[in-house]
Amino acid sequence: MKNVPISALVIIFLVFPADPLLAQSPLDELSDGDLADGERLFRVHCARCHGIDGAGGEGSNLARPRLRFAPDDEALIDVIGDGIPGTGMPAIWTLDDEQTARVAGYVRTLGRLEAEEMPGDPGRGASLYQATGCPACHIIAGHGTGIGPELTEVGDRRGLAYLRSSLVEPAAAQSQTMGYQDYLTVRVSTKDDSVEGLRVNEDAFSIQVRDVAGTVHSFRKKDLLKFEKIFAHSLMPEYGGALPERDMNDLVSYLMSLRSEK
Ligand code: HEC
Ligand code: HEC
């Protein structure tokens, strides 16, 4: 019985420093001046992909309390220093350790801001999404099909302004996001066939094109009578004039609500 208090002490000693809630974060020491410098560095190094207010563009929306790849501050620092392999998030080599900590501290302040307010009713937007034919080109949580990007967690990646412009003027929104070199529209014709769609693949001798219905067509280049690459063009219809303002607001709200964290 005598040694019970001792083992209890040992347990406290082992558990205490490992508890992430009690552990010190390297960002705790930052002053207001450091955070202001972090904001300046963010504009220089991050804003072109994550948006000036961090609400997302080509890069994800960072104005969220929880980040998938950066569950804690150490991980956030690693994401900035090492990038996220296999994604569009590059390692930012040009920042030293202190600057990295300042930017990371600033990113955390974004997560504490109020989430952007939805301009409409996401529930009504969900029905409009179905009724407007969006599932013909996009997948959400396994439902839908087609040539557009998956939208399951689009609210994590994209903020209000970007989502609205991607519905009103898809081609303009697309040209902001370099990732969409993946979405190059091509028009090809042979003497008996003519197809418009996304380029899936191209080499010196052949090209494969996925049409809007999802069918992949393969052509030998020497058979082509016409071959056009149409830059800054989207196969997605422009919904700006087609939808009343209220519907547009509801649709955008629905897209904003598609998040990994509710
Ligand atoms: C060239 C574009 C680009 C630049 C510059 C860039 N990022 Fe990113 N970043 C991305 C992309 C794209 C992703 C999304 C990766 C994914 O989810 O597939 C991302 C993801 C992230 C994530 C993870 C978000 C999550 O949901 O877990 C963090 C954090 C992040 N970036 C911070 C930064 C910071 C801070 C800077 C500046 C120091 C920066 N990024 C600069 C493109 C960029
Ligand atoms: C004919 C196919 C098609 C239809 C219909 C369509 N889209 Fe798209 N959408 C695309 C393609 C292709 C892209 C990829 C970027 C581009 O080419 O503009 C895209 C991009 C998007 C993006 C940007 C996603 C991102 O990560 O940046 C959003 C949001 C979007 N679509 C929402 C919708 C909604 C909402 C509807 C219905 C009102 C819809 N789309 C209907 C083909 C379509």
Side-chain angles (χ1 to χ4, degrees), residues 6 8 12 18 36 49 66 70 84 102 104 116 120 132 138 145-146 151 172 190 209 226 232 238:
I6 294 171
I12 289 170
C49 295
R66 270 175 240 287
I84 306 173
R102 289 175 185 169
E116 275 185 305
T132 315
H138 293 283
T145 172
L151 300 178
T190 62
V209 181
K226 203 171 89 185
E238 294 184 1

Side-chain angles (χ1 to χ4, degrees), residues 42 45-46 48-50 58-60 62 64 67-70 76 79-80 84 87-90 92 95 103 107 178:
F42 185 88
H45 297 281
C46 324
R48 77 185 156 98
C49 295
H50 289 283
E58 180 198 348
S60 10
L62 299 179
R64 291 183 286 141
L67 299 175
R68 188 157 48 114
F69 292 100
L76 176 56
V79 162
I80 298 170
I84 306 173
T87 77
M89 174 63 202
I92 312 290
L95 299 174
V103 178
V107 168
M178 303 187 305

Side-chain angles (χ1 to χ4, degrees), residues 131-243:
T132 315
C134 318
C137 291
H138 293 283
I139 293 177
I140 293 179
H143 300 285
T145 172
I147 56 168
E150 175 164 353
L151 300 178
T152 306
E153 290 177 357
V154 73
D156 286 348
R157 283 179 285 129
R158 313 297 190 198
L160 169 61
Y162 177 92
L163 288 170
R164 186 187 296 275
S165 67
S166 68
L167 297 184
V168 176
E169 275 186 302
Q174 170 194 355
S175 65
Q176 292 170 12
T177 52
M178 303 187 305
Y180 285 141
Q181 283 154 356
D182 303 346
Y183 290 94
L184 178 66
T185 305
V186 293
R187 235 174 251 154
V188 293
S189 34
T190 62
K191 65 180 178 6
D192 25 46
D193 206 2
S194 180
V195 173
E196 180 185 78
L198 291 180
R199 176 180 65 177
V200 206
N201 233 318
E202 179 182 356
D203 62 26
F205 306 104
S206 71
I207 178 160
Q208 284 79 43
V209 181
R210 191 191 305 275
D211 67 23
V212 174
T215 310
V216 177
H217 305 255
S218 190
F219 300 95
R220 287 184 303 182
K221 282 189 171 169
K222 68 182 174 55
D223 299 334
L224 295 181
L225 300 176
K226 203 171 89 185
F227 176 21
E228 281 176 88
K229 296 184 181 176
I230 311 161
F231 295 97
H233 171 273
S234 178
L235 291 169
M236 176 160 152
E238 294 184 1
Y239 291 97
L243 290 175

